[in-house]
Amino acid sequence: MIQARTSFERIFGGLGAETLKRKGRRAMAAYDASLLWTALMLLALGLVMVYSASIAMAEASSFTGYHPWYFLVRHALFTVVALLCAAVVFQLPMATWQRLAPWLFLFCLLLLALVLIPGVGKTVNGARRWLPLYFTNVQPSELMKLVVVFYAASYAVRKAEFLPAHQPMGKTLARGFLPLFAAMVLVGGLLLLEPDFGAFVVIVAIGFGVLFVGGLDGRIIIGLLALLPFALGAILVAAPYRLQRLTTFLKPWEDPLGKGYQLTHSLMAFGRGEFLGVGLGDSVEKLLYLPEAHTDFLLAVIAEELGFAGVLVVVMLFMWLLFRAWMIGRQAARLQQPFSALTAQGIGIWLGVQTFINMGVNVGLLPTKGLTLPFLSFGGSGIVASCVAVAVLLRIDYENRRLLNGHNV
């Protein structure tokens, strides 16, 4: 642990822990209000936009009983459950998560394996990603994203002496890198069998991102980036439909009524919205033209109804949330709390990568992936995971403030 703290102090630099404690004796709030309000504003906007984007689908589907408020009620219930889970999680000290991280990782691995069992996992649109419960479906990959943050952070702290560049490369590879690499390969293999390539990308980014922030020799990261094109090529060859998606996203207007249908309608929604939008509730694309309007392509409906201004507000809210995650992590590192520091910044990596991919897909910068927009898109598991992640960030900030005031966490 001493070596881990020394490593973090070298990485983050800045004020020492004792200096911060002296500066923090003054009275301060018990939590980061700006972070909390940012998350609540995203949740509120998501509630409004999910209702707006889903009305037509709800009215047209016998599955929903033709009730226009079907998705609104479910999304509101998911949000309430998520907030209750977040309130409970906030009470747990970070030391508890550090102790439980390996066991939570094994539990989520078991859930990912259960999804693949015929008759146990639920299949939707050719993908088996859900475990059906009596009242809803649980998506284990959403829970795994948060658990990988805890696991990678605890791993980096335990293996801190084997990560830095001054160690022999053989020892760094064998003791510091390969065990986590093997764990990511196992998780990635289960996700690709579902298949859920989007979650695979996010979880791998979390695992290696946390390890890099934790002090992993940069030469290994450069080697991974060099091998990345070959790995992606192998994945595309193994599943030809992924290659078709790649070629389609580059030229969606060549087949606007076929493979390019979803992306072209998303782009039309952005075009119709212009700067201020056509008005809340007045989207045309949500009228059964744009598939998955209330989940993967919710940003397109926001762009159409609220315009560039509405999208800019969403982007700024996410930027502030990611900035606070990074700064909370920096402060925890300075206070010699390496697990908390890596957890905070791992959450930032997760939310940042997933948000970037979702937005990139909506505007045609990236191939279509089944990734929702955190806090906003419809989906119970995603909303719960996002809210719990913010609760963990608030807990880390709370413990930082207690340390600054000279209290035990």
Side-chain angles (χ1 to χ4, degrees), residues 74-122:
R74 289 180 64 83
H75 193 69
L77 290 174
F78 291 150
T79 302
V80 170
V81 171
L83 291 174
L84 291 174
C85 290
V88 172
V89 166
F90 179 77
Q91 308 302 319
L92 300 177
M94 293 307 298
T96 301
W97 293 113
Q98 185 173 5
R99 186 173 62 253
L100 294 177
W103 303 106
L104 291 173
F105 182 74
L106 291 174
F107 175 70
C108 282
L109 273 179
L110 176 62
L111 294 182
L112 288 177
L114 286 176
V115 165
L116 300 175
I117 299 176
V120 177
K122 182 178 180 180

Side-chain angles (χ1 to χ4, degrees), residues 2-119:
I2 293 175
Q3 288 177 311
R5 290 175 176 173
T6 303
S7 175
F8 278 95
E9 288 173 356
R10 184 180 68 254
I11 293 168
F12 292 101
L15 296 172
E18 293 302 321
T19 304
L20 283 173
K21 287 180 181 179
R22 288 195 298 270
K23 288 180 174 291
R25 305 290 183 182
R26 294 167 295 188
M28 60 171 62
Y31 63 94
D32 188 336
S34 68
L35 175 62
L36 177 62
W37 281 107
T38 298
L40 290 176
M41 284 189 286
L42 286 170
L43 286 172
L45 179 61
L47 198 63
V48 173
M49 295 311 303
V50 163
Y51 180 47
S52 177
S54 64
I55 291 177
M57 179 182 293
E59 289 181 332
S61 174
S62 60
F63 174 77
T64 65
Y66 307 106
H67 297 303
W69 37 260
Y70 174 84
F71 291 103
L72 171 65
V73 171
R74 289 180 64 83
H75 193 69
L77 290 174
F78 291 150
T79 302
V80 170
V81 171
L83 291 174
L84 291 174
C85 290
V88 172
V89 166
F90 179 77
Q91 308 302 319
L92 300 177
M94 293 307 298
T96 301
W97 293 113
Q98 185 173 5
R99 186 173 62 253
L100 294 177
W103 303 106
L104 291 173
F105 182 74
L106 291 174
F107 175 70
C108 282
L109 273 179
L110 176 62
L111 294 182
L112 288 177
L114 286 176
V115 165
L116 300 175
I117 299 176

Side-chain angles (χ1 to χ4, degrees), residues 177-302:
F177 173 72
L178 289 179
L180 184 66
F181 179 79
M184 291 299 98
V185 168
L186 179 58
V187 174
L190 292 173
L191 290 171
L192 291 177
L193 288 174
E194 293 186 1
D196 193 347
F197 185 69
F200 166 76
V201 171
V202 173
I203 288 174
V204 169
I206 294 169
F208 294 130
V210 169
L211 206 59
F212 176 70
V213 175
L216 179 65
D217 189 341
R219 291 174 296 176
I220 296 178
I221 299 298
I222 293 173
L224 282 176
L225 293 176
L227 293 174
L228 184 60
F230 300 99
L232 290 178
I235 291 174
L236 292 175
V237 170
Y241 74 91
R242 295 194 183 107
L243 184 59
Q244 292 176 357
R245 284 186 178 180
L246 181 62
T247 56
T248 298
F249 114 89
L250 293 173
K251 298 178 180 180
W253 298 103
E254 290 187 353
D255 189 14
L257 299 179
K259 296 185 177 76
Y261 181 83
Q262 198 168 28
L263 179 54
T264 54
H265 279 277
S266 177
L267 295 175
M268 283 189 280
F270 275 87
R272 291 193 73 247
E274 297 184 348
F275 189 78
L276 294 178
V278 298
L280 183 63
D282 291 335
S283 166
V284 171
E285 290 299 329
K286 71 181 183 183
L287 303 178
L288 305 183
Y289 292 105
L290 178 62
E292 310 297 337
H294 62 307
T295 55
D296 301 354
F297 283 84
L298 185 65
L299 187 68
V301 178
I302 294 175

